[in-house]
Amino acid sequence: MALLPMIFVLVQSLIQYPHPAGDGRDEATHCRMKERQELLDHEMAWLLQELEQQDEGWGAVLSGALQQWPFWVIAGVLLLLGLWFTCRRRSCEASNNDVHEGEDSVDGQEEYRVKVKESSDASEQRSREKEDHDGDKGESGSGGMEDREKTRYAGNEQGILLVDRIEWPVEDLERGCSVIAELMESLSRVFVDSVSNTPYPVPQEAIGVGSAFEGWSPRDWDGVYRVLVPLNPPPGHTFHLEPNSAGQLAARTFNVCVELVCTCEKEQVEEKPLCFLHHSREELRRKQKRSLLETLCTSSYLDVEKTSRWFCQLVRSSWLQVPQWHSWYVVFQPCRRSCRLELSKGRDSLTVEMLFGVRRGDSDIFVSSQPTKATITASTAWAETYAVAEAKFFRHIARQLPCESLHLKCLQLFTCILRDTGFSSSTWKTVVMHVLTTVPLSRWHRRAFARRLWDIMAYLDRCLQLTHLRHFVLGNERLPAEISLPPAMRGVVPPNLFEHLARGLAAHREARQAYGRLRFRLGVLLSSH
């Protein structure tokens, strides 16, 4: 700012200074030039004095500022930190936008569409409708249809590569299931002799249940092979199921009521069993005959915990009579509602949990000692289970599919590779079972692996939009005929497994966001193979 007056004076002097016109100068001209020179010298001296004063003022200001140098250092550091945090936040927002770009949202935001070559579920649906129309023309055209599929859907090639790279524990599962099945068969033969003519339930042939016996294993599998041991009432007794819980149909519990029946007609047999109804207590006590009501019941109901202790003791006493005791070392693990064994042989180890169940009539539905997600406090409460019906469904599907393990690899992918998506293994299992009854089984082959994955995603998307996922067993009219249900179950309205999403907007929004992330991850996974 101090230089501006000096520049002004110099410019003014250049403009107003008279230029010489010639060598001849008169006296008047010399006088004017001398006066002009004195005036300019005076103004120059004044400007120099003003500049010196201003320099002294700026020096004082600069000196005062330098005395406050710690303040300026701290201010500079804070400024640099602010700039660093701003750049970091913008970088994180940019990366999040790349990951979550286009996710489905409840509020109608832009929907993300992943391209493997098909850009949306709508195009997938149209393709499936076209394929269904072509499939009705007969098996003779199936080869040409499959060739057209290979050229029409580029995602199939990625699907073939991916289906071959999925980690597949089927050999280990089959070996473990085989060992457990042989063990339970040996124990069942011993049980027949051990419980005959006793007031205890009669164990039947064990049924393998759970993911291991269905042929797949979710990432959260605890490594326990579970079998359900049906219990029949001993002679002179009968079981009657009484529902003891209201609420959702899919989470019911029952009491197993034990009733005495007359066996007088059987007394003509050589063993002459005593009738608990028509013989006196003194006679029964004298012959050491007790009813089930006096052994494993609380009041008139079969007690789960008492049954568990009795069954574990039965297995202990029977272990030395089975062939496996020579090669397997057994450790009994304490459990209130089941019998759990840990078998070991060298480096191999297996854990088996024996659950007890009572069959509902002649159906594949049982009440089991295994508790549901809701805490069961009463020792006489038995939870209704559909595990046997689901296991039979998976065996039925394995016999019908062209590639018997393709649906299991779909489950393996969603529960292991694409884990931590907010959807439980039971949810994926239910969705896949519904898709198996919707898409014709002839189309579950290796080349269609990617398309079946998108079918599963499309079904889940519709369920999330409607906040409704139907229970697979209850009220399902598409179940195979070999799966037997009680007559009352076939006509019921299927319970909604997404009821919690219908009641809570926050939970529904979170599920929709989880679906968007899952859709993105699946697209990236298919495009990278």
Side-chain angles (χ1 to χ4, degrees), residues 18-81:
H19 300 282
D23 298 333
R25 298 176 179 174
D26 54 6
E27 187 67 22
T29 301
H30 283 285
C31 291
R32 288 195 299 271
M33 292 177 60
K34 185 176 181 179
E35 291 176 358
R36 187 67 177 172
Q37 183 67 33
E38 293 177 355
L39 179 61
L40 291 175
D41 293 340
H42 177 73
E43 291 182 354
M44 181 63 66
W46 178 80
L47 287 175
L48 292 174
Q49 184 179 1
E50 184 176 351
L51 286 174
E52 292 177 356
Q53 293 177 356
Q54 290 182 359
D55 290 341
E56 292 178 358
W58 281 106
V61 173
L62 181 60
S63 177
L66 291 176
Q67 291 177 0
Q68 304 295 329
W69 66 268
F71 169 78
W72 296 110
V73 170
I74 295 175
V77 172
L78 293 177
L79 179 60
L80 292 176
L81 288 176

Side-chain angles (χ1 to χ4, degrees), residues 157-172:
E157 296 181 359
Q158 289 90 342
I160 293 175
L161 294 175
L162 179 60
V163 73
D164 293 333
R165 294 188 179 183
I166 292 179
E167 183 179 353
W168 194 233
V170 63
E171 295 182 359
D172 295 336

Side-chain angles (χ1 to χ4, degrees), residues 15 19 39 66 84-85 138 142 169 206-207 215 301-302 307 388 407 441 455 463 502 505:
I15 296 175
H19 300 282
L39 179 61
L66 291 176
W84 182 76
F85 279 115
S142 60
I207 305 172
Y301 299 109
L302 189 62
T307 304
V388 175
H407 62 301
L441 298 181
D455 286 336
C463 292
L505 293 179

Side-chain angles (χ1 to χ4, degrees), residues 407-432:
H407 62 301
L408 301 177
K409 290 195 174 184
C410 291
L411 276 172
Q412 199 78 15
L413 184 140
F414 283 116
T415 58
C416 292
I417 300 177
L418 298 177
R419 59 187 182 274
D420 301 330
T421 56
F423 301 102
S424 64
S425 299
S426 60
T427 298
W428 284 119
K429 178 180 174 180
T430 302
V431 170
V432 170

